[in-house]
Amino acid sequence: MKVKPKQCGLGGIKTVGEKVGDIVWTSDPIKTLGVYFGHDDNKCLTLNWEGKCQKLVNTLNSWTRRDLTIYGRVMIVKVLLIPQIIVLATVIGIPDNIKVTIQEMIDKFIKRGRPF
């Protein structure tokens, strides 16, 4: 079923800032269930992925100091890293530059900076 654009609006409300009842519209991104949504796609991508990438780096840094086998490092990635990004990736997708960054972090962690 295709939705026509004029069916998606809220009546005659076209601009941000108009007030309907107790609802106040905003032009800033809003956070719902851990995901930022808004009019500015670049701002939303930044808000969504910068914090998530920093969390991944912190998690990897805390586990890098331990002397884990390769199976242990793979398990850390599967159990602690992938679940942190799976919901966000499912809802809004992963930009290519973030994909590359995450892949490099995981490769470096698993290989300990050494090629196999």
Side-chain angles (χ1 to χ4, degrees):
M1 176 177 129
K2 260 190 164 178
V3 178
K4 295 179 183 173
K6 59 180 155 179
Q7 293 175 339
C8 296
L10 289 174
I13 300 174
K14 301 280 187 210
T15 60
V16 174
E18 292 186 38
K19 189 172 180 181
V20 177
D22 293 333
I23 299 173
V24 178
W25 301 99
T26 179
S27 61
D28 296 329
I30 58 169
K31 187 175 185 179
T32 305
L33 299 174
V35 180
Y36 286 95
F37 295 98
H39 298 288
D40 187 1
D41 290 338
N42 292 330
K43 189 173 184 181
C44 289
L45 284 175
T46 302
L47 288 170
N48 283 318
W49 286 107
E50 276 188 6
K52 197 60 72 175
C53 285
Q54 188 58 47
K55 262 180 131 175
L56 296 177
V57 167
N58 292 342
T59 302
L60 288 177
N61 285 340
S62 68
W63 283 96
T64 301
R65 293 181 228 122
R66 294 174 174 83
D67 189 26
L68 299 172
T69 64
I70 190 162
Y71 299 111
R73 293 189 299 271
V74 169
M75 185 65 68
I76 294 299
V77 169
K78 285 181 169 181
V79 172
L80 297 178
L81 267 69
I82 302 300
Q84 288 185 23
I85 62 172
I86 197 72
V87 171
L88 193 56
T90 303
V91 173
I92 63 171
I94 303 176
D96 290 334
N97 61 333
I98 300 296
K99 248 187 240 183
V100 170
T101 303
I102 291 172
Q103 186 64 48
E104 287 173 353
M105 284 190 300
I106 290 172
D107 287 346
K108 186 177 175 184
F109 176 71
I110 290 176
K111 297 176 183 178
R112 290 186 180 172
R114 297 180 294 218
F116 279 120

